[in-house]
Amino acid sequence: MPTLTLNPSSASVSPCDGLVRRNGVDQTLGNIRSGAGTASAVSDVTNQLLLTASTTSNQFADNTRLIFNFDTSSLPAGAVISSAVISFFITAQTAGLGITGFAFVVVDASPTSTGNLSSGDYTNVGSNLYAFLNQPDTTTGAYNDFVLNTAGKNHINPTGITSFGVVSGWDYNNSFNGAWSSGLTSSYTVDMADNGSNLPKLVITYTVGSASLSPSASLSPSGSASKSLSPSASLSPSASASMSISPSASVSQSLSPSASVSPSASISPSASLSPSASPSPIINYLSVDLVEFCFFTGFTSKYLNQENLFQNLYTPQTTNYPVNKYIIQTTTFSQNKYIPQATSFSTNTYVPKNTDFTDKYNGC
């Protein structure tokens, strides 16, 4: 992924870096934090992030904050930031007030001008936490990397200047848990843009846009699939199943796909899928309730189930039909069920179709 490396400008040129402070006071930590700034600087080679104790127990004389501006307008349009790391070259540290809680904390900032700083910008350093390192985790004489969290990445302005502030952990938390000692200081010394080397830097890793398929992917214009069953068969988009037993008795039932069975049986029509197609299943057997028909070319074998009961499927007939037709009973049947036949059939009974039938279906 592409990266963009940015540095502040030296002196009073946007985007500058520098220091703002409140000093020359004798106040509690809360008061020195919230008071107005008293000084600023933008042309120093190094600056210190520090807190100095006054001569009054548990009070302080000097608190500094740092501001760093970066011109992030060179990010391409539509850039999506995947990571952002701001790095500072720390040249020295002191621990006159101890190190417990004396972290190096990166926050937001909104200076009045990005080309110069004023004492009033002391209160323009924010409190939104973007990254931090505790004092034991910092390294002297090297770059220390601060990986920005999601809020920090979202703070980056892709069309202008992005400003960051740096405060101590005591300042950020409004709580001093170090070892107070009159007149002593805990500090970090940081190389600034005017140093000419080891400049503060912001490295942004990003992507532009996203991959997509264009305009669309489809199977077209149409895909069709048909599979013939004897004498003819194919799949259809219509979802109904109809089974008829000639000449006039019939029953229909809503299933899928469409099917009809008669002395010459067919399953129809054909199926097409558009714009995208999927293969049609091969139908070997069609089962409707408990009636099974096994299809072979020419339909030379037909089977009659003499044991299973069928309810309300067929209309009783009143006449005899020639060979190879089923004869429906005219006598009273219980619940319109087929009556299993014995070896002898009389008028108005089912007539076997040139085939000796047993009382069960035989395998197809």
Side-chain angles (χ1 to χ4, degrees):
M1 287 185 286
T3 60
L4 180 64
T5 301
L6 304 168
N7 308 104
S9 299
S10 60
S12 299
V13 176
S14 180
C16 69
D17 62 7
L19 171 147
V20 289
R21 72 196 315 163
R22 178 171 174 80
N23 64 347
V25 297
D26 185 1
Q27 294 180 318
T28 63
L29 180 62
N31 288 335
I32 200 171
R33 286 180 70 251
S34 61
T38 57
S40 64
V42 294
S43 300
D44 293 335
V45 172
T46 62
N47 272 318
Q48 287 184 310
L49 177 69
L50 60 78
L51 181 65
T52 300
S54 68
T55 57
T56 302
S57 180
N58 292 319
Q59 294 198 166
F60 302 92
D62 193 357
N63 185 54
T64 64
R65 298 167 179 172
L66 306 179
I67 293 177
F68 300 88
N69 296 298
F70 300 90
D71 185 356
T72 48
S73 63
S74 55
L75 277 169
V80 177
I81 297 172
S82 57
S83 69
V85 180
I86 187 168
S87 301
F88 304 102
F89 197 94
I90 298 176
T91 61
Q93 300 181 51
T94 62
L97 299 178
I99 63 174
T100 303
F102 189 60
F104 193 108
V105 182
V106 179
V107 296
D108 61 308
S110 54
T112 303
S113 170
T114 60
N116 200 358
L117 299 178
S118 67
S119 60
D121 289 322
Y122 179 80
T123 56
N124 290 332
V125 176
S127 59
N128 293 311
L129 177 64
Y130 295 155
F132 72 94
L133 286 176
N134 289 314
Q135 198 276 344
D137 299 323
T138 58
T139 302
T140 301
Y143 272 110
N144 291 258
D145 296 334
F146 296 80
V147 179
L148 301 186
N149 59 19
T150 300
K153 290 186 290 185
N154 291 339
H155 175 67
I156 294 173
N157 179 7
T159 60
I161 306 296
T162 300
S163 303
F164 294 98
V166 175
V167 298
S168 73
W170 297 327
D171 188 356
Y172 178 80
N173 290 314
N174 191 23
S175 175
F176 178 77
N177 57 351
W180 186 91
S181 183
S182 178
L184 296 186
T185 298
S186 287
S187 67
Y188 297 98
T189 302
V190 181
D191 281 351
M192 307 298 283
D194 284 87
N195 188 65
S197 61
N198 303 327
L199 305 182
K201 61 182 177 180
L202 173 63
V203 179
I204 301 171
T205 303
Y206 63 92
T207 58
V208 178
S210 60
S212 62
L213 292 176
S214 178
S216 63
S218 63
L219 293 176
S220 171
S222 65
S224 65
S226 67
K227 177 68 178 178
S228 293
L229 298 177
S230 182
S232 65
S234 59
L235 279 177
S236 172
S238 65
S240 66
S242 124
M243 186 173 78
S244 63
I245 297 183
S246 285
S248 61
S250 66
V251 70
S252 72
Q253 194 171 17
S254 185
L255 294 171
S256 177
S258 172
S260 66
V261 179
S262 67
S264 62
S266 66
I267 300 173
S268 67
S270 63
S272 65
L273 297 175
S274 178
S276 59
S278 59
S280 300
I282 298 174
I283 300 177
N284 291 323
Y285 300 97
L286 174 65
S287 175
V288 180
D289 292 332
L290 298 176
V291 179
E292 291 185 346
F293 292 89
C294 298
F295 296 99
F296 293 92
T297 304
F299 292 87
T300 58
S301 298
K302 297 180 175 64
Y303 301 92
L304 176 64
N305 188 335
Q306 298 292 331
E307 292 182 352
N308 293 325
L309 298 180
F310 299 82
Q311 297 185 13
N312 299 318
L313 294 177
Y314 302 99
T315 303
Q317 306 297 319
T318 59
T319 58
N320 294 341
Y321 293 90
V323 177
N324 292 332
K325 305 286 185 180
Y326 289 110
I327 306 299
I328 309 302
Q329 304 293 337
T330 60
T331 58
T332 301
F333 294 96
S334 173
Q335 296 182 346
N336 293 328
K337 299 187 178 74
Y338 287 111
I339 298 178
Q341 303 298 323
T343 54
S344 176
F345 296 84
S346 58
T347 303
N348 295 332
T349 61
Y350 292 111
V351 177
K353 299 180 179 57
N354 299 327
T355 305
D356 187 13
F357 291 83
T358 61
D359 290 344
K360 297 181 182 294
Y361 287 117
N362 292 321
C364 295

